[in-house]
Amino acid sequence: MKEITRRKFIATATLATGFALAVQPISAQVVSTEAKGLIAGAVKIPVKDGEILAYRAVPANGENFPIVLVLQEIFGVHEHIQDVTRRFAQLGYLAIAPELFIRQGDVTKLSSIDEIRPIVAKVPDAQVLSDLDATVNWAVKSAKGNADKLAVTGFCWGGRITWLYAAHNPKVKAGVAWYGRLVGDATELQPQYPVDIASKLTVPVLGLYGGKDTGIPLDTVEQMRDRLKSSSSKSEIIVYPDAPHAFFADYRPSYREEEAKDGWKRLLAWFKQYGV
């Protein structure tokens, strides 16, 4: 995509309405969080090469809100991710989910994961980390966010980025990574994985993983645990023995209510423990 075309695409893109095409049909267990009492919807975040869209949810009244970055799955910022931001906002947070794939393509409009993977593979980690820095900056300057109370959480693809962003930005107070890949082959665009930064990590990150996740072998989880022992971060990893990948995704068959609710409870306690 030529640069001018990319900039034009970013400027004219819109946030997803509803769920991503690739995740149909939607489970009857889907959680729906109302926006009553909130300011919720699309915002534009200035970034190095223009603007990206984000979904923002925040209490309608007040200021100096703790900030939570909500990092998307491979399916983009569709209704599930938007709902998670509203869950945080109903608890008093300023929650923001930036569109981190948008330069490479709108994955919410694609109907199969095989179409999505090549797009996601083209997303540079450096671009993602820079966009997240810009999102934090916008939250503080334009949305009444508290720079001293910053947290990050992400799911699947966003789980991996949660670990990496916690290493990238020491101002993060706490992170919670849901079943993000820990080990992989380094490439020019994705030069590091969580296991590579674990020993140097200073930000406390809670990892939530499934014992029956066929995409994230338990030996890689143990490898990450071992590396974390030499860090000063006080990070921890919880494994739910019977949970598959995406056990928090209430709109998918992989959803496991007990583990999802326990993970959410642990997330809120983790944020509170570290001052967010």
Side-chain angles (χ1 to χ4, degrees), residues 163 182-184 192-202 219-237:
W163 289 103
L182 298 167
V183 176
Q192 290 185 312
Y193 278 79
V195 72
D196 301 314
I197 55 85
S199 61
K200 299 176 183 178
L201 193 62
T202 59
D219 66 320
T220 66
V221 176
E222 291 306 320
Q223 187 178 347
M224 185 69 179
R225 272 183 173 154
D226 187 60
R227 295 281 181 93
L228 287 170
K229 290 176 183 177
S230 59
S231 80
S232 62
S233 67
K234 299 181 181 178
S235 296
E236 298 178 15
I237 293 180

Side-chain angles (χ1 to χ4, degrees), residues 37-54:
L38 306 178
I39 298 171
V43 295
K44 292 182 178 180
I45 308 292
V47 293
K48 287 182 178 179
D49 58 348
E51 293 177 330
I52 61 171
L53 287 175

